[in-house]
């Protein structure tokens, strides 16, 4: 009996070591009904986890990013129509609506067959498995990667590069990649790398290290830039969210303007995210106040 117990323990240990090498087990999901999911890695593979409550933001709530909004919406409409469309990199200042724009596009076009799979940057190594699981389906998928950045030796970098435009296998027609980042070139850049630049026929050519870092972002066909908001634009967004969160009638801007500016100064940022946070704080506090207080 002791020998059998020892053998069973050895078999269990062997199976534990083999499990990560087994093919991925993709969770069953009804894409005809489910609109958004996350890819979740686990022992022995990964799978899709449905998003039960997705963010309700709509395109008309996104102010002062009209150029980026219109370009991303046009690209998405091309994609849904089966026309050529690009992978999209949304880069720039934090809190200016990059990820909100992608969520709003999903809400706008889910009824037309648009679906979204959110992939964490650390899980991009699984891209070949994710793409294989979605290839051939009738729905149109956005692979959404938020806050994308890499270290130089990150294996996910190579996986994304191949998925964008670097593999012998063509990407499926029913899938595009939309990624957000606070920096356009996605990899850290160092001053010493500029010393590798060289003149060729009077033109400056970057060194190999810089070329490698630029090559990933260049695989995105559409670049959309987001700039920091000035004070007036910040206050415009505060007004929009206060108007939507506060019961009618909407309060006079003079009632909240000074508080909004103090709120932004305390955070060192005048962004759309800060405006949303201020509106929730200000309207919520008024709801707790006693009548006439």
């Amino acid at each position: 009996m002791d020998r059998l117990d020892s053998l069973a323990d050895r078999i269990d240990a062997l199976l534990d070591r083999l499990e990560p090498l087994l093919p991925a087990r993709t969770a069953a999901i009804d894409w005809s009904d489910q609109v958004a999911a996350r890819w979740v890695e686990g022992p022995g593979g990964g799978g899709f986890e449905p998003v039960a409550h997705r963010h309700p933001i709509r395109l008309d709530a996104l102010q002062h990013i009209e150029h980026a909004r219109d370009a991303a919406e046009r690209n998405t409409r091309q994609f849904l129509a089966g026309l050529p469309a690009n992978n999209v990199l949304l880069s720039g200042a934090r809190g200016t609506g990059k990820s909100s724009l992608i969520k709003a596009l999903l809400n706008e076009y889910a009824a037309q067959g648009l679906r979204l799979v959110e992939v964490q940057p650390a899980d991009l190594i699984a891209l070949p498995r994710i793409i294989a699981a979605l290839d051939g389906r009738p729905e149109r998928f956005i692979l959404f990667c938020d806050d994308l950045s890499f270290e130089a030796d990150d294996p996910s970098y190579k996986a994304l590069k191949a998925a964008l435009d670097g593999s012998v296998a063509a990407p499926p027609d029913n899938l595009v990649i939309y990624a957000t980042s606070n920096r356009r070139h996605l990899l850290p850049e160092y001053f010493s790398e500029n010393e590798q630049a060289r003149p060729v026929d009077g033109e400056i050519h970057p060194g190999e290290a810089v070329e490698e870092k630029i090559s990933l972002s260049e695989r995105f066909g559409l670049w959309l830039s987001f700039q920091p908001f000035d004070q007036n634009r910040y206050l415009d967004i505060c007004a929009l969210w206060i108007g939507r969160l506060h019961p009618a009638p909407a309060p006079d801007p003079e009632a909240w303007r000074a508080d909004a500016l103090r709120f932004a100064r305390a955070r060192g940022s005048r962004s759309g995210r800060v405006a949303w946070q201020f509106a929730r704080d200000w309207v919520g506090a008024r709801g707790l106040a006693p009548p006439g207080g």
Side-chain angles (χ1 to χ4, degrees), residues 26-54:
T26 304
I29 187 168
D30 183 4
W31 285 114
S32 64
D33 180 64
Q34 187 63 42
V35 171
R38 300 182 184 91
W39 177 265
V40 180
E41 281 290 289
F48 298 114
E49 179 182 86
V51 175
H53 305 288
R54 68 182 190 269

Side-chain angles (χ1 to χ4, degrees), residues 75 115 125 135 138 141 148 159 167 179 183 186 203 209 213-214 220 237 259 265 274 293:
N75 190 74
R115 301 291 183 265
I125 194 71
D135 191 8
F141 292 91
L148 190 62
S167 171
R183 59 190 183 200
L186 304 177
E203 296 182 349
K213 293 180 177 183
I214 294 174
F220 288 92
I237 300 171
D259 291 336
R265 282 196 297 270
V274 171

Side-chain angles (χ1 to χ4, degrees), residues 55 237-238 241 245 271-281:
H55 199 294
I237 300 171
C238 288
W241 286 119
L245 294 172
S271 69
R273 180 182 296 127
V274 171
W276 160 249
Q277 292 167 346
F278 166 72
R280 290 177 64 85
D281 179 78

Side-chain angles (χ1 to χ4, degrees), residues 102 117-122 124 142-150 160 177-181:
I102 298 173
V117 175
E118 184 173 8
V119 185
Q120 295 299 318
L124 287 173
I142 290 177
L143 285 189
F144 170 41
C145 190
D146 196 24
D147 199 17
L148 190 62
S149 63
F150 299 102
L160 178 59
I177 298 174
Y178 284 17
T180 73
S181 177

Side-chain angles (χ1 to χ4, degrees), residues 224-244:
L224 301 177
S225 298
F226 291 70
Q227 305 303 321
F229 294 142
D230 60 20
Q231 178 171 297
N232 289 335
R233 292 181 176 184
Y234 165 72
L235 291 172
D236 284 347
I237 300 171
C238 288
L240 179 140
W241 286 119
I242 288 175
R244 295 194 176 192

Side-chain angles (χ1 to χ4, degrees), residues 44-213:
F48 298 114
E49 179 182 86
V51 175
H53 305 288
R54 68 182 190 269
H55 199 294
I57 192 164
R58 309 294 297 199
L59 288 173
D60 62 2
L62 302 175
Q63 293 193 336
H64 300 300
I65 58 168
E66 288 80 7
H67 175 73
R69 182 195 65 200
D70 293 347
E73 185 177 13
R74 174 182 53 78
N75 190 74
T76 304
R77 289 172 56 217
Q78 291 171 209
F79 174 58
L80 286 171
L83 298 170
N86 279 306
N87 300 305
V88 184
L89 176 61
L90 303 88
S91 64
R94 66 186 190 276
T96 49
K98 300 184 294 294
S99 59
S100 293
L101 175 54
I102 298 173
K103 297 168 189 174
L105 287 169
L106 177 64
N107 292 329
E108 190 74 24
Y109 291 103
Q112 299 182 30
L114 186 64
R115 301 291 183 265
L116 183 142
V117 175
E118 184 173 8
V119 185
Q120 295 299 318
D123 293 336
L124 287 173
I125 194 71
L127 272 179
R129 288 184 277 138
I130 299 171
I131 292 172
L134 301 176
D135 191 8
R137 292 204 55 87
E139 301 84 10
R140 314 291 283 180
F141 292 91
I142 290 177
L143 285 189
F144 170 41
C145 190
D146 196 24
D147 199 17
L148 190 62
S149 63
F150 299 102
E151 296 304 321
D153 58 349
D154 193 329
S156 298
Y157 164 77
K158 298 293 185 183
L160 178 59
K161 192 174 178 180
L164 287 167
D165 185 20
S167 171
V168 67
D173 292 335
N174 70 333
L175 184 146
V176 288
I177 298 174
Y178 284 17
T180 73
S181 177
N182 291 335
R183 59 190 183 200
R184 176 174 288 182
H185 288 159
L186 304 177
L187 283 161
E189 300 178 71
Y190 303 101
F191 180 79
S192 60
E193 293 169 346
N194 291 322
E195 297 172 359
Q196 302 173 16
R198 64 198 185 280
V200 177
D201 296 331
E203 296 182 349
I204 297 176
H205 288 253
E208 290 183 359
V210 176
E211 288 276 15
E212 171 69 11
K213 293 180 177 183

